[in-house]
Amino acid sequence: DTEVTQTPKHLVMGMTNKKSLKCEQHMGHRAMYWYKQKAKKPPELMFVYSYEKLSINESVPSRFSPECPNSSLLNLHLHALQPEDSALYLCASSQRTVLSSGNTIYFGEGSWLTVV
Amino acid sequence: DAKTTQPTSMDCAEGRAANLPCNHSTISGNEYVYWYRQIHSQGPQYIIHGLKNNETNEMASLIITEDRKSSTLILPHATLRDTAVYYCIVRASPSGSARQLTFGSGTQLTVLP
């Protein structure tokens, strides 16, 4: 069972809507991530937060706006999305950003987003 | 980062061992091999990782060749619930910079009854 909780599990939004995806972990992890996954494709990294600061933005369009209010929460604000943005959005966390022995990345179950 | 090559798909009979290969011929000395799996419509699940030595946990065993250019994930007694896409990922652990998981195409393992 994952200890990374994502809400909502499903979201349908229009292209003019503003919505948010939320992610929460209580494992004391200091690194949190957003990934995007299209159907039949592997997950692709979008953003990385380390100690509540944005450390990596993989050239994601500005219509996606991440926010890390505290070490346990990660939000992804969505505005003016396009139908091609429909995908599974995965949140993940790890003790630190550097991958090393014992520093595993744990994923949530994802939020299915449909843009109409 | 080292690139990985995995077969697109594999079948395995229920109750038999599933052996999933991964080639990572360009792996460097400080790069770990990680395995994740993703059951349909769920988030990726960590399975196991290793550097040089073989590793075993309650889910699987990881066999890394001596030259580290390839590895095999072994599910000792596959069940229908092991049907999933299995990702082999090689990532470095350098100091002073963030290195993240980058997923390849993975292997679709289908466990047959």
Side-chain angles (χ1 to χ4, degrees):
Chain A
D1 293 336
T2 180
E3 295 184 58
V4 178
T5 304
Q6 292 188 239
T7 55
K9 293 193 185 308
H10 298 274
L11 177 64
V12 179
M13 61 183 291
M15 289 186 284
T16 58
N17 292 159
K18 286 185 180 181
K19 297 287 185 183
S20 297
L21 304 180
K22 298 184 182 301
C23 176
E24 189 169 4
Q25 58 87 13
H26 294 289
M27 295 179 281
H29 290 173
R30 303 312 300 270
M32 297 187 77
Y33 313 77
W34 281 114
Y35 282 78
K36 173 182 177 179
Q37 186 174 25
K38 301 283 282 184
K40 299 188 184 299
K41 297 290 187 181
E44 295 179 347
L45 183 66
M46 300 175 71
F47 302 105
V48 180
Y49 272 82
S50 178
Y51 291 86
E52 295 119 69
K53 293 185 179 179
L54 183 65
S55 63
I56 294 178
N57 176 342
E58 292 284 356
S59 302
V60 179
S62 59
R63 57 186 184 269
F64 296 92
S65 176
E67 178 196 20
C68 190
N70 59 56
S71 60
S72 299
L73 296 174
L74 185 66
N75 299 321
L76 186 63
H77 302 299
L78 313 170
H79 174 55
L81 295 192
Q82 303 297 311
E84 57 265 30
D85 296 321
S86 298
L88 176 66
Y89 288 84
L90 294 160
C91 175
S93 71
S94 64
Q95 188 65 36
R96 304 175 303 281
T97 54
V98 175
L99 284 181
S100 61
S101 182
N103 187 37
T104 303
I105 294 181
Y106 295 94
F107 286 82
E109 293 301 319
S111 293
W112 288 94
L113 174 67
T114 302
V115 182
V116 298
Chain B
D1 300 315
K3 178 180 171 59
T4 60
T5 304
Q6 299 177 253
T8 302
S9 63
M10 294 181 62
D11 292 340
C12 176
E14 188 177 19
R16 305 296 294 268
N19 297 292
L20 292 95
C22 179
N23 287 324
H24 31 78
S25 58
T26 59
I27 193 170
S28 58
N30 64 345
E31 290 186 311
Y32 286 77
V33 180
Y34 280 78
W35 283 85
Y36 279 74
R37 73 180 183 183
Q38 189 171 24
I39 297 170
H40 182 61
S41 301
Q42 298 183 19
Q45 178 188 24
Y46 166 78
I47 301 173
I48 199 167
H49 73 281
L51 183 62
K52 295 181 181 179
N53 300 321
N54 298 336
E55 301 288 345
T56 295
N57 63 20
E58 65 278 4
M59 288 183 68
S61 295
L62 174 61
I63 308 298
I64 302 174
T65 58
E66 191 169 346
D67 63 8
R68 302 202 333 116
K69 292 184 177 181
S70 66
S71 61
T72 300
L73 178 74
I74 301 173
L75 307 178
H77 305 287
T79 70
L80 299 178
R81 288 179 293 180
D82 292 323
T83 293
V85 177
Y86 286 77
Y87 295 102
C88 168
I89 303 160
V90 174
R91 292 299 288 183
S93 175
S95 59
S97 65
R99 296 288 183 165
Q100 314 310 324
L101 284 177
T102 301
F103 289 81
S105 298
T107 296
Q108 171 65 58
L109 174 69
T110 302
V111 180
L112 303 172

